[in-house]
Amino acid sequence: MTALAIDAGSRYTRIARVGPHGDPEPVELPGSVPGEGLPVPETAAGDRGAALRAAYDAYRRHHDAPGRLLVVVPHQDRAVHARRAADALAAPPGTGRAPEMRTLATPHAVLALLRHAGAVGPGRYAVCDLGAAAADVTACVVTHGAVAVAGTSRHAPADGYGTAYDTALLTRSGLPADAAGHHALAAVRAEPGAGRRIGLVLDRAARDPGRFAATAVHHVAGRPVTAGAVRSALPLLTDGLDRALAEALGPGPVAPLALVGGVARFGPLRGHLEASGRPLAALPDGTDPAHAAVLGAALVAAGRIDPADRYPYAVWVGAHRTVAGRPADIELLVSAAGTLEPGGPAVFAEADGQRVGVRTGPAGAAAGRPVRVRVGDPEGGGSTPVRTLMLPGGGPDDRFHIGVRYAVDGTAVLELHPLGPGQPGSYPLGTLPTDLGTDSKEVGS
């Protein structure tokens, strides 16, 4: 069964699959721009779903339908993007079955690539998706078998992120900032040795601006793009990214940054981050940052690595059960580590494959009693309380199925479903902890 991954950006849509030797590789189609992917049609500009459909149709004109399709979507508003992707790729009536489709958020796709290559271990990382429209930063906690999102931020100026920088560069060089100008600038950047040249010239200009500021780093349509123009426009990239990093990561230990997206190719931006003391997580050798997400998604689609996009810790709830014919207070495992999926269905406490029926208070108590919810790390031993809830009581025969639902924003709710008559109840738990350190360990956990 063919497995395919698609990542629809604002300018290009990239497609990848796992090749015969087990490595992920881009899929080139007629009309693809070498090294970039399929240009997003003008009719689909600003519409990720339409761009996705156009790329999938282009693939189907030359290949059989994939059995499994994985679509990369932004982490922010993931549920909305997932619905739009499903709607865009639904098979029209009478055209046969649509492929088995699921979505994977960009940070999980990127970290799947790095985890597969053995380039990351347990710890905190920041995935920086730097594109034409925006700079998205996602703080992630990698544990054994799971990746949790601890914070996000987005810098998306009205005139774009990478696009705004290119527009400023063209304008300051006396060139028209139209579509042709942007394409011409992208073409000269892609020439062999262009990245090394701009790095050398900017280094010289930094040491001696008076002498080297007018030195050309590129020639676009016969006009020079100078080191001075590049240096004056660079804060459009660096300042926005710095703010996004500060918002997503906050104070604390510096997390390695995984830079991906088309703008991540730009050497001076990487140099700025290194100079500020931010370590960079290395992509596998030869990986184009613009393709990192779709290559990681291809590995997941092919079953080469688990996406690890589940909550990494177990969720426990204080409950009341009848044990050996006598009522007893116990702590019930509701969700095992790595079970809760952001935006997925609720997970209910089970025993021997069947949902467990529990009381929420002593038999006959009308008001119930406080119930503590905690999360714990079965491997590291860390544990921390989440919230104490006052759940409703009930009659001596009242039982509930108890579960947890995990939202895409990292918040959760406790759900009570009565076995008999009555309405289900939902009780907010707030944001679930994603980084259990030594400070959160409890005696006896």
Side-chain angles (χ1 to χ4, degrees):
M1 179 172 64
T2 304
L4 195 69
I6 303 181
D7 181 11
S10 57
R11 287 184 180 175
Y12 298 97
T13 300
R14 297 170 174 105
I15 304 174
R17 63 190 171 198
V18 171
H21 300 294
D23 296 320
E25 59 186 23
V27 175
E28 299 291 344
L29 297 172
S32 294
V33 176
E36 293 290 1
L38 282 171
V40 173
E42 291 186 8
T43 54
D47 186 339
R48 188 181 292 267
L52 179 62
R53 183 76 222 188
Y56 181 74
D57 289 344
Y59 177 87
R60 287 287 290 113
R61 286 194 288 270
H62 302 280
H63 301 277
D64 292 336
R68 184 181 301 114
L69 179 62
L70 196 151
V71 178
V72 180
V73 297
H75 177 79
Q76 292 188 339
D77 299 324
R78 175 187 168 190
V80 173
H81 288 293
R83 287 195 298 271
R84 290 175 179 170
D87 291 343
L89 294 175
T95 61
R97 293 180 58 189
E100 175 190 330
M101 192 209 83
R102 64 158 293 179
T103 58
L104 186 66
T106 299
H108 291 96
V110 172
L111 288 169
L113 178 68
L114 297 180
R115 289 165 46 238
H116 183 264
V120 297
R124 293 176 62 87
Y125 298 86
V127 176
C128 306
D129 184 16
L130 312 179
D136 288 299
V137 178
T138 308
C140 298
V141 178
V142 178
T143 61
H144 295 288
V147 175
V149 171
T152 63
S153 62
R154 178 176 174 84
H155 174 65
D159 50 354
Y161 178 63
T163 298
Y165 170 79
D166 287 352
T167 297
L169 207 57
L170 291 167
T171 301
R172 294 172 193 188
S173 302
L175 292 160
D178 54 12
H182 281 275
H183 286 305
L185 180 58
V188 298
R189 281 192 187 132
E191 293 174 355
R196 177 174 174 79
R197 173 175 173 76
I198 192 172
L200 291 173
V201 174
L202 288 181
D203 285 344
R204 292 170 181 168
R207 293 193 300 267
D208 190 350
R211 181 179 178 187
F212 292 103
T215 302
V217 296
H218 303 302
H219 282 86
V220 178
R223 295 187 65 90
V225 177
T226 67
V230 171
R231 294 186 68 202
S232 66
L234 187 58
L236 291 171
L237 299 180
T238 57
D239 291 356
L241 179 55
D242 286 346
R243 288 194 298 271
L245 286 167
E247 181 180 341
L249 300 179
V254 178
L257 311 181
L259 301 184
V260 300
V263 179
R265 297 165 172 160
F266 190 48
L269 181 58
R270 300 175 66 87
H272 165 78
L273 293 171
E274 290 172 339
S276 67
R278 295 188 178 274
L280 303 183
L283 299 178
D285 288 345
T287 300
D288 185 333
H291 288 83
V294 77
L295 295 177
L299 289 167
V300 173
R304 295 302 178 113
I305 189 168
D306 186 88
D309 55 345
R310 303 295 189 270
Y311 184 63
Y313 303 127
V315 181
W316 299 80
V317 175
H320 306 275
R321 293 192 67 191
T322 300
V323 180
R326 302 183 65 180
D329 292 341
I330 65 167
E331 192 172 47
L332 184 67
L333 174 65
V334 178
S335 170
T339 303
L340 287 173
E341 178 185 0
V347 175
F348 287 86
E350 294 186 352
D352 299 324
Q354 300 294 322
R355 290 186 181 179
V356 175
V358 300
R359 283 196 298 265
T360 57
R369 67 167 62 168
V371 172
R372 190 181 76 156
V373 180
R374 74 174 177 95
V375 300
D377 180 0
E379 293 187 6
S383 175
T384 189
V386 175
R387 180 165 291 186
T388 298
L389 301 173
M390 180 63 75
L391 301 182
D397 297 322
D398 289 344
R399 298 291 187 277
F400 297 84
H401 290 152
I402 189 166
V404 177
R405 186 183 300 275
Y406 193 45
V408 294
D409 61 0
T411 60
V413 296
L414 187 74
E415 296 197 350
L416 287 181
H417 288 197
L419 274 64
Q423 294 296 318
S426 296
Y427 304 87
L429 294 173
T431 301
L432 293 184
T434 55
D435 192 4
L436 297 185
T438 55
D439 292 342
S440 65
K441 290 185 179 181
E442 297 180 335
V443 176
S445 63

